[in-house]
Amino acid sequence: MPLKRRPLMLTALLPLTLLASACNDNDGMAATARRSIAGLPDQFRQHLADVVVQVQDVADADMLASVGLPHPMQLSGLYSGRPIGDKSIWDIPGGTPDRIYLFRLPILAEARDRDIPVERLIHHVTIHEIGHHFGLSDDDMHALEEEG
């Protein structure tokens, strides 16, 4: 069953630190995201080798502005880079790598609020951001989730 995304408002953050999961810290979340990537078929994985997974507590103001959201608890992930279909042979090798950002506190809050495993939500957000890497819009991905 696909997860439906909804904006989150600021909730009490103290209980987030009490969730019993190996995914509570940045390293654990990044490792879970990398396992999600490793589980993809090779034809997708080969296009993700240079994508960096980065975890931070919340999105910064520039990231929020780039997607039109006012509050950091509303954004659980972000793709930063050029989608594969927009890349060319003229791209500068060794430039800034594409990144998938996972935002720890919104992910923990959403997992708690929805009573779903943190690992499941990390997988969902990671796959969603990979969709952007392959050029899919949010509307495209929501339509695919509806069909699935």
Side-chain angles (χ1 to χ4, degrees):
M1 167 171 124
L3 294 174
K4 300 288 185 208
R5 306 290 300 161
R6 66 173 169 78
L8 291 173
M9 298 315 291
L10 185 61
T11 59
L13 297 180
L14 182 58
L16 297 178
T17 62
L18 302 177
L19 291 171
S21 171
C23 297
N24 282 354
D25 64 16
N26 293 2
D27 292 339
M29 279 195 175
T32 300
R34 284 191 294 275
R35 282 192 299 277
S36 291
I37 293 168
L40 292 172
D42 185 55
Q43 65 263 34
F44 296 107
R45 229 180 25 253
Q46 67 186 358
H47 295 287
L48 296 164
D50 295 328
V51 175
V52 174
V53 174
Q54 185 170 332
V55 180
Q56 56 191 61
D57 283 349
V58 293
D60 64 33
D62 290 335
M63 292 170 168
L64 292 170
S66 76
V67 294
L69 292 174
H71 198 282
M73 291 302 285
Q74 292 177 297
L75 188 61
S76 53
L78 181 71
Y79 170 73
S80 174
R82 290 186 63 190
I84 288 175
D86 294 346
K87 294 183 186 282
S88 79
I89 60 169
W90 302 111
D91 287 344
I92 299 171
T96 303
D98 295 347
R99 291 183 190 277
I100 291 173
Y101 290 94
L102 299 177
F103 303 114
R104 189 175 69 84
L105 295 178
I107 288 172
L108 292 175
E110 185 172 348
R112 182 196 60 209
D113 291 349
R114 293 183 177 194
D115 194 29
I116 60 174
V118 174
E119 294 83 356
R120 179 176 174 206
L121 187 55
I122 292 168
H123 175 76
H124 177 79
V125 173
T126 301
I127 297 303
H128 180 94
E129 300 312 327
I130 287 170
H132 291 308
H133 180 66
F134 285 100
L136 297 174
S137 70
D138 284 332
D139 289 340
D140 294 334
M141 286 183 273
H142 292 302
L144 288 170
E145 288 176 352
E146 291 293 322
E147 289 176 16

